[in-house]
Amino acid sequence: MAPWEATLAEYTLSPDSELVAHTLQESALKEKYGVTIALIERGHKKIIAPSRDEFLFPYDKLFLIGNEDQLQEAQNQIEVKAPYSAFDDLEVYGLESLRLHADSPYNGKSI
Protein backbone atom coordinates (compact mmCIF):
# COMPACT_ATOMS: atom_id res chain seq x y z
CA MET A 1 0.00 0.00 0.00
CA ALA A 2 3.07 2.24 -0.01
CA PRO A 3 2.26 4.05 -3.29
CA TRP A 4 -0.92 5.40 -1.72
CA GLU A 5 0.65 6.16 1.67
CA ALA A 6 -2.09 4.10 3.28
CA THR A 7 -1.75 1.58 6.07
CA LEU A 8 -3.96 -0.97 7.76
CA ALA A 9 -4.66 -0.33 11.44
CA GLU A 10 -6.67 -2.20 14.06
CA TYR A 11 -8.83 -0.45 16.65
CA THR A 12 -11.24 -1.75 19.28
CA LEU A 13 -14.59 -0.01 19.46
CA SER A 14 -15.07 1.45 22.92
CA PRO A 15 -18.46 0.91 24.60
CA ASP A 16 -18.40 4.68 25.23
CA SER A 17 -18.09 5.55 21.53
CA GLU A 18 -21.00 7.32 19.85
CA LEU A 19 -20.60 4.82 16.99
CA VAL A 20 -21.96 1.90 19.03
CA ALA A 21 -25.35 0.61 17.82
CA HIS A 22 -25.09 2.52 14.55
CA THR A 23 -24.59 1.16 11.05
CA LEU A 24 -21.44 1.87 9.08
CA GLN A 25 -23.48 4.19 6.90
CA GLU A 26 -24.68 6.13 9.97
CA SER A 27 -21.16 6.26 11.40
CA ALA A 28 -19.95 7.98 8.20
CA LEU A 29 -16.33 7.07 8.98
CA LYS A 30 -15.41 7.08 5.29
CA GLU A 31 -17.13 10.40 4.62
CA LYS A 32 -15.78 12.15 7.74
CA TYR A 33 -12.25 10.75 7.88
CA GLY A 34 -11.57 9.12 4.51
CA VAL A 35 -10.91 5.67 5.99
CA THR A 36 -12.13 2.38 4.60
CA ILE A 37 -13.37 -0.39 6.90
CA ALA A 38 -11.71 -3.53 5.52
CA LEU A 39 -12.79 -5.97 8.23
CA ILE A 40 -14.81 -6.18 11.42
CA GLU A 41 -13.83 -8.88 13.88
CA ARG A 42 -16.57 -9.73 16.37
CA GLY A 43 -15.58 -12.57 18.67
CA HIS A 44 -14.71 -15.46 16.38
CA LYS A 45 -16.67 -13.97 13.47
CA LYS A 46 -14.87 -12.04 10.75
CA ILE A 47 -16.89 -9.73 8.49
CA ILE A 48 -14.77 -9.03 5.43
CA ALA A 49 -15.63 -5.89 3.43
CA PRO A 50 -18.68 -5.16 5.61
CA SER A 51 -21.72 -3.59 3.99
CA ARG A 52 -22.97 -0.14 4.91
CA ASP A 53 -25.87 -1.80 6.77
CA GLU A 54 -23.56 -3.61 9.22
CA PHE A 55 -24.09 -2.49 12.84
CA LEU A 56 -21.21 -1.67 15.16
CA PHE A 57 -21.07 -3.26 18.61
CA PRO A 58 -18.91 -2.62 21.67
CA TYR A 59 -15.51 -4.31 21.49
CA ASP A 60 -15.73 -4.90 17.72
CA LYS A 61 -12.24 -4.88 16.24
CA LEU A 62 -12.22 -2.55 13.25
CA PHE A 63 -9.50 -2.87 10.63
CA LEU A 64 -9.23 0.44 8.80
CA ILE A 65 -7.28 1.52 5.74
CA GLY A 66 -6.13 5.13 5.55
CA ASN A 67 -3.17 7.44 5.94
CA GLU A 68 -1.82 8.26 9.39
CA ASP A 69 -3.77 11.51 9.81
CA GLN A 70 -7.05 9.90 8.75
CA LEU A 71 -6.51 6.93 11.05
CA GLN A 72 -5.67 9.17 14.02
CA GLU A 73 -8.86 11.20 13.59
CA ALA A 74 -10.98 8.06 13.22
CA GLN A 75 -9.28 6.52 16.27
CA ASN A 76 -10.53 9.41 18.40
CA GLN A 77 -14.12 8.40 17.56
CA ILE A 78 -13.53 4.67 17.93
CA GLU A 79 -11.36 4.30 21.04
CA VAL A 80 -13.14 6.76 23.29
CA LYS A 81 -12.02 6.96 26.90
CA ALA A 82 -14.83 7.04 29.45
CA PRO A 83 -15.17 10.33 31.31
CA TYR A 84 -13.62 10.42 34.76
CA SER A 85 -15.86 9.27 37.56
CA ALA A 86 -15.42 9.93 41.28
CA PHE A 87 -15.87 6.18 41.75
CA ASP A 88 -12.71 5.48 39.72
CA ASP A 89 -10.61 6.22 42.81
CA LEU A 90 -12.48 3.81 45.06
CA GLU A 91 -10.48 0.70 45.73
CA VAL A 92 -12.21 -0.69 48.80
CA TYR A 93 -15.66 -0.05 50.11
CA GLY A 94 -18.01 -1.83 52.44
CA LEU A 95 -20.80 -1.57 54.96
CA GLU A 96 -20.52 -0.68 58.61
CA SER A 97 -22.97 -0.54 61.49
CA LEU A 98 -23.81 2.88 62.83
CA ARG A 99 -25.67 3.58 66.06
CA LEU A 100 -28.03 6.55 65.96
CA HIS A 101 -28.69 8.73 68.97
CA ALA A 102 -32.25 8.93 70.27
CA ASP A 103 -32.66 12.50 68.93
CA SER A 104 -31.34 11.69 65.40
CA PRO A 105 -33.63 12.82 62.55
CA TYR A 106 -32.99 9.40 60.95
CA ASN A 107 -34.56 7.37 63.78
CA GLY A 108 -37.56 5.36 62.64
CA LYS A 109 -36.89 5.96 58.93
CA SER A 110 -36.03 3.34 56.35
CA ILE A 111 -33.00 3.55 54.16
Side-chain angles (χ1 to χ4, degrees):
M1 293 190 196
W4 298 281
E5 296 182 22
T7 58
L8 179 68
E10 173 187 342
Y11 302 104
T12 301
L13 186 60
S14 166
D16 298 308
S17 172
E18 293 179 4
L19 303 176
V20 171
H22 288 88
T23 64
L24 290 180
Q25 183 176 11
E26 293 169 337
S27 76
L29 287 170
K30 185 167 186 75
E31 293 77 12
K32 289 179 187 174
Y33 309 111
V35 297
T36 299
I37 297 98
L39 171 75
I40 297 174
E41 191 174 287
R42 185 174 297 141
H44 296 291
K45 182 178 180 182
K46 291 179 177 32
I47 305 164
I48 299 170
S51 75
R52 65 184 183 180
D53 298 321
E54 188 65 47
F55 277 89
L56 295 170
F57 294 99
Y59 304 109
D60 275 355
K61 288 186 182 173
L62 306 179
F63 293 80
L64 307 180
I65 299 171
N67 67 36
E68 290 201 27
D69 292 335
Q70 293 168 327
L71 292 170
Q72 181 61 48
E73 287 184 39
Q75 180 182 16
N76 293 335
Q77 287 293 310
I78 296 166
E79 294 184 337
V80 176
K81 302 238 187 290
Y84 175 78
S85 169
F87 294 111
D88 290 343
D89 292 334
L90 291 179
E91 291 182 22
V92 179
Y93 56 92
L95 299 175
E96 292 183 27
S97 295
L98 178 65
R99 185 175 295 271
L100 298 176
H101 295 286
D103 59 344
S104 171
Y106 299 107
N107 268 341
K109 296 196 176 170
S110 65
I111 293 176

